[in-house]
Amino acid sequence: MINRTRLNSSFEQYGDTCILGSYAIVSNFYTEIPFLDFFKDFCKDFDIGTEENDFKKYFSEHFNSQHPDYIQRITRWFNLTELNKYELAYDYSFHREYSSRNINGLNLMKEIHEISKQNSFESSRNSFSLSYIPVVKNDIVNVIDCLACEESLLMIAFQGERGGRHISVVGYDNNGFYMIETRPNKTNGAVGISNITSLPDVGDALLAIQVNDKEEKGSYTHLIPAN
């Protein structure tokens, strides 16, 4: 069980960056690593260019940055934060990577968590494990047990507002289930939800469990498919 007030919910995605954004929120709870570090380390892992001209290229091709009005585009470019620029670089590469390998985004995120040699991901896997759950509804009792009894958080896929898939962080505390959202114009902080299955068209997920917690008290991860 993790109290919702202990999570940093300030991340707001620029583009389709909800997977690494949600992972960063989860890891920040266990490690206190800043969100930006994960995007920088992703770029190092995949040898993605991060010079200013590279960021301009990503910006010019990014759907969230394409406006017919030149002044609007220039204004948006100058308003980008450093994190936003690294999000552009990530967005440019991440979806191409998992599509070319015929895996989904959560599986790629799990792989990065388990094999990356970059500092933020190494520190993360030393702090928490990730189990992939192909169909959350099929393991809902075990998932709820983990959230209620372990230092555990869930990165879960469901139907987004634009019809595609979206990832958010779900947890459980004394006030029930809650969700940390990454989309723009979100409600600040955690939002209470009635249950995990109340999210539209719930799909697969990554379940994070604190490593020390698992070693000391035992874990429910043996009940959940690891691959």
Side-chain angles (χ1 to χ4, degrees):
M1 181 183 297
I2 295 175
N3 192 297
R4 66 191 72 191
T5 61
R6 296 169 62 194
L7 273 69
N8 183 344
S9 60
S10 63
F11 179 84
E12 184 174 294
Q13 69 187 73
Y14 187 90
D16 288 339
T17 59
C18 58
I19 292 181
L20 186 51
S22 293
Y23 177 89
I25 291 171
V26 168
S27 183
N28 178 264
F29 168 76
Y30 297 106
T31 67
E32 299 185 352
I33 295 172
F35 300 143
L36 176 60
D37 288 23
F38 297 98
F39 287 88
K40 285 186 172 182
D41 282 351
F42 173 88
C43 292
K44 291 176 186 175
D45 246 350
F46 290 88
D47 197 25
I48 302 166
T50 55
E51 300 295 329
E52 196 72 355
N53 284 337
D54 296 315
F55 290 133
K56 288 178 180 177
K57 169 180 164 48
Y58 309 141
F59 179 80
S60 68
E61 299 181 13
H62 194 257
F63 69 90
N64 211 29
S65 308
Q66 293 173 352
H67 295 277
D69 188 299
Y70 177 77
I71 295 177
Q72 282 183 325
R73 284 176 57 78
I74 291 296
T75 300
R76 176 157 287 199
W77 167 255
F78 282 111
N79 284 334
L80 291 178
T81 64
E82 184 181 17
L83 175 55
N84 291 155
K85 290 181 179 181
Y86 276 91
E87 284 184 84
L88 288 171
Y90 159 87
D91 207 353
Y92 185 83
S93 171
F94 185 80
H95 309 286
R96 288 175 170 84
E97 180 70 22
Y98 71 70
S99 296
S100 68
R101 294 174 49 190
N102 197 31
I103 62 174
N104 69 25
L106 288 180
N107 272 311
L108 177 55
M109 189 69 255
K110 183 176 186 291
E111 178 182 296
I112 294 168
H113 172 81
E114 292 178 343
I115 69 173
S116 173
K117 295 181 179 179
Q118 305 305 324
N119 289 337
S120 64
F121 297 117
E122 278 196 332
S123 297
S124 295
R125 70 171 164 268
N126 289 332
S127 300
F128 64 95
S129 64
L130 279 183
S131 295
Y132 178 68
I133 306 171
V135 183
V136 170
K137 288 183 178 180
N138 290 350
D139 281 296
I140 192 66
V141 173
N142 297 329
V143 170
I144 292 173
D145 280 346
C146 285
L147 294 178
C149 301
E150 307 273 357
E151 289 273 290
S152 181
L153 293 165
L154 189 70
M155 295 170 53
I156 189 167
F158 58 96
Q159 183 176 331
E161 295 174 343
R162 296 181 299 178
R165 305 303 285 168
H166 179 63
I167 310 296
S168 288
V169 177
V170 169
Y172 182 84
D173 63 14
N174 289 329
N175 292 312
F177 293 98
Y178 60 86
M179 181 172 70
I180 302 291
E181 183 58 90
T182 63
R183 286 178 285 200
N185 304 316
K186 63 181 181 177
T187 302
N188 290 331
V191 175
I193 58 174
S194 59
N195 208 321
I196 298 171
T197 53
S198 67
L199 298 173
D201 193 19
V202 169
D204 56 345
L206 292 174
L207 181 68
I209 300 178
Q210 187 178 42
V211 168
N212 290 337
D213 194 60
K214 180 175 68 173
E215 291 174 350
E216 293 172 6
K217 298 193 301 181
S219 171
Y220 291 88
T221 53
H222 67 284
L223 301 175
I224 297 173
N227 297 308

